[in-house]
Amino acid sequence: MPLEAEFNRIEEVAAGFKTHYEVFKYMKRLTQDLGMSAFLIMTLPTVDVVEIGATKIITNWPAEMVDYYDAHNLMVDSPVIRRMLRSTSPFNYDVEAINTDRGEGKKSTVIELFRRYGMEKGAYFPVHDAAGGRGAMSISGSRNFSMVEMAKLLFIATLIYDRLSQLTLNEKHKPVAFTQSELDCLRLTAGGRKSSEIAKLLDLSENTVNNQIGSVIRKLGCTTRTQAVVSALRLNIIRV
């Protein structure tokens, strides 16, 4: 397919997304087609945000990897974040090379972590929305991208981030109805409780708790509990 026609097709697809989940499925398929392992679409952190769990919009990073990343404070002096805050140019990365200047403890920790999940190479694409909010898309795996691939992926990142921003804005103006039970389950999930613990606290079966949380995830257009909690907190649906 000629490049111009392909770009037109990508633009049409991105404009047609109605939910965050549709974007998630598209990004997952794109990542697989590129022979890569994982993707992340995130907002760039402000000075008081130190956890990647609080910045991601959608991702298929394993939950245990995100938890480990945050538990070891790996965002605090991340050279990737630092570079994206200084420049809007996309860049390939190699996890060992880009972490050269980190302290030896964090350097070895982050290198081992990304290698463990097959994400030692890839690229980041800084982007922004119409309101000036800054974000980024990354695709990680075992290789870097060519210049042509980088240009195509930057175009995709720009369209996807803009569409996600529109969807998030629509969420804020479109009230979603939740039952009290759904809100209780979500609030306890945000507090770190497991389904079995929530079931005991609310005198429900564990299956009912999972159904309530699953309902919340679908209503918010999310794919995981963590994403639902972040979205609910962002939209002031719950407070913890």
Side-chain angles (χ1 to χ4, degrees):
M1 181 185 295
L3 195 57
E4 183 176 355
E6 186 174 5
F7 275 35
N8 287 335
R9 182 186 61 82
I10 293 169
E11 192 168 18
E12 290 176 3
V13 169
F17 292 135
K18 297 294 189 295
T19 67
H20 285 66
Y21 183 58
E22 290 179 5
V23 179
F24 176 88
K25 289 192 296 183
Y26 173 84
M27 288 302 304
K28 185 176 180 180
R29 185 170 61 252
L30 173 65
T31 301
Q32 292 172 339
D33 289 346
L34 291 167
M36 302 296 270
S37 303
F39 72 87
L40 168 69
I41 298 178
M42 65 185 295
T43 57
L44 285 186
T46 55
V47 292
D48 57 341
V49 175
V50 295
E51 295 182 346
I52 200 165
T55 66
K56 69 182 187 299
I57 301 175
I58 58 169
T59 185
N60 67 340
W61 282 26
E64 59 271 20
M65 179 183 180
V66 174
D67 291 342
Y68 187 92
Y69 188 100
D70 287 342
H72 289 76
N73 296 317
L74 296 178
M75 180 178 278
V76 173
D77 56 352
S78 166
V80 169
I81 298 298
R82 195 162 57 239
R83 178 166 178 169
M84 288 193 293
L85 289 173
R86 290 199 311 260
S87 171
T88 57
S89 298
F91 59 93
N92 277 304
Y93 81 88
D94 176 287
V95 70
E96 184 168 2
I98 203 165
N99 284 282
T100 300
D101 295 333
R102 283 220 197 193
E104 195 54 43
K106 278 194 175 180
K107 177 182 176 181
S108 58
T109 297
V110 74
I111 290 173
E112 191 280 328
L113 177 65
F114 278 76
R115 283 180 175 169
R116 186 191 315 163
Y117 292 97
M119 297 163 59
E120 60 268 26
K121 293 184 179 181
Y124 277 83
F125 303 87
V127 288
H128 60 83
D129 58 28
R134 298 186 63 189
M137 180 182 87
S138 76
I139 296 182
S140 305
S142 58
R143 71 179 182 92
N144 291 134
F145 296 109
S146 68
M147 290 297 291
V148 172
E149 287 177 312
M150 291 290 283
K152 176 181 174 180
L153 289 171
L154 178 59
F155 183 67
I156 291 173
T158 302
L159 293 175
I160 291 291
Y161 197 77
D162 180 69
R163 187 60 186 149
L164 283 172
S165 297
Q166 293 173 27
L167 291 173
T168 299
L169 184 63
N170 291 340
E171 279 181 355
K172 292 179 179 178
H173 291 88
K174 182 181 178 182
V176 180
F178 297 95
T179 66
Q180 188 58 51
S181 180
E182 288 172 340
L183 292 174
D184 290 341
C185 290
L186 182 62
R187 192 175 295 108
L188 289 168
T189 299
R193 301 281 188 173
K194 297 178 181 178
S195 290
S196 57
E197 297 173 315
I198 297 172
K200 290 179 181 179
L201 288 168
L202 299 179
D203 194 24
L204 300 170
S205 70
E206 189 170 342
N207 185 58
T208 298
V209 170
N210 288 333
N211 286 338
Q212 296 293 323
I213 295 172
S215 176
V216 171
I217 291 172
R218 289 190 296 275
K219 286 179 179 179
L220 289 173
C222 298
T223 55
T224 68
R225 293 186 179 204
T226 301
Q227 290 175 18
V229 167
V230 172
S231 180
L233 290 170
R234 185 177 68 242
L235 297 172
N236 291 318
I237 293 170
I238 59 171
R239 295 181 183 276
V240 294

